[in-house]
Amino acid sequence: SKMLPRIEGDELRVSTYKVGNGISWSLDYARDARWDVVARAIEVFTNGFIRKLNDDGWHVILKTAVEGTSSTIQDTTATAGLFTKRLLLDMMSNIKRRTGGRNSKLTDLYLSPEAINDVRNFTNAQIDEVSRRELVTGGEDRVPQLYGVRFHEMQEFGVSQEYETYITGTLGRVHTNSKVEHVVGLDLLHRDAFVMPIREDMQMFDDPTLHRSAKAGVYGWMEVGFANLDTRRAILGAL
């Protein structure tokens, strides 16, 4: 019988980097405003870290999907820009058929609001009545699901949107067959691909140097890293 390769390792090194942020506000404004200026400033300060980490993490995921999908999965018979059940099924089978991907499974799909609307607009001829009813009555906040695959709406996906231009511009994956936007599928059943080591948790400090200018503020930093360990866990589709 054929022996399967065995991989062993004692440690994995992932480069980390510091992320910093800061915010300040006028003491007079904080005194006179009719809302909690300080609480809102701290919220904006924290969201700055969240946005940076989301973008850096997704850049790793998008690069993984591009490198791991030699030919973007498409439903060539569909109208450009229309998400179809055929595309979903093809992505589900392709992630299993790629080299070394026999245990991979499509569990989550990330796509634009327009593509989500296509899913919610499926007719009775495309899906069964029970599934269609769940899509219609589930509400906007409920995650649609078909064939066990969860659909996640992301505003960064879609024509001319941030992650679309990152795929086509920075990563150089051009569209074919008149397709106009990408979708990304992940295998989140096997938690062995995407890692985010945190070397230093976010720290926040008061900035006393601002008081001379009749201001108050905070600054801080954290140290993190992102890496992908297995390109089989991400797949790229287009519609």
Side-chain angles (χ1 to χ4, degrees), residues 31-99:
R31 179 195 64 199
D32 298 333
R34 296 184 177 181
W35 54 288
D36 194 337
V37 174
V38 177
R40 177 57 178 160
I42 299 303
E43 181 182 356
V44 172
F45 170 80
T46 304
N47 287 342
F49 284 97
I50 294 174
R51 176 59 190 269
K52 172 63 175 174
L53 298 182
N54 281 345
D55 283 347
D56 289 355
W58 266 102
H59 288 169
V60 172
I61 293 173
L62 296 176
K63 184 175 177 60
T64 300
V66 170
E67 291 182 347
T69 314
S70 57
S71 181
T72 306
I73 312 305
Q74 304 177 16
D75 178 359
T76 57
T77 65
T79 302
L82 181 67
F83 183 86
T84 64
K85 184 175 68 172
R86 180 75 264 166
L87 174 61
L88 170 63
L89 296 174
D90 287 347
M91 293 181 72
M92 291 173 64
S93 59
N94 188 277
I95 200 171
K96 298 177 181 178
R97 290 297 187 184
R98 57 179 51 182
T99 303

Side-chain angles (χ1 to χ4, degrees), residues 163-201:
Y163 290 168
E164 174 63 31
T165 58
Y166 187 81
I167 293 172
T168 57
T170 304
L171 301 180
R173 178 57 62 91
V174 298
H175 283 294
T176 59
N177 300 316
S178 301
K179 301 305 182 184
V180 295
E181 65 178 87
H182 287 96
V183 299
V184 171
L186 299 180
D187 176 358
L188 297 182
L189 178 64
H190 302 92
R191 299 282 182 168
D192 57 359
F194 303 103
V195 295
M196 176 187 167
I198 300 176
R199 189 172 186 181
E200 186 176 22
D201 288 323

Side-chain angles (χ1 to χ4, degrees), residues 79-151:
T79 302
L82 181 67
F83 183 86
T84 64
K85 184 175 68 172
R86 180 75 264 166
L87 174 61
L88 170 63
L89 296 174
D90 287 347
M91 293 181 72
M92 291 173 64
S93 59
N94 188 277
I95 200 171
K96 298 177 181 178
R97 290 297 187 184
R98 57 179 51 182
T99 303
R102 289 189 176 275
N103 71 334
S104 293
K105 178 181 179 181
L106 185 64
T107 63
D108 294 79
L109 198 65
Y110 297 82
L111 59 175
S112 69
E114 292 79 12
I116 284 285
N117 286 341
D118 291 337
V119 175
R120 296 187 188 281
N121 199 41
F122 280 169
T123 66
N124 289 337
Q126 294 171 291
I127 58 175
D128 65 273
E129 179 61 29
V130 175
S131 298
R132 185 171 184 273
R133 177 176 175 79
E134 290 182 355
L135 291 175
V136 172
T137 61
E140 187 175 1
D141 294 333
R142 182 175 177 180
V143 178
Q145 181 171 299
L146 286 176
Y147 303 113
V149 178
R150 296 178 293 269
F151 293 79

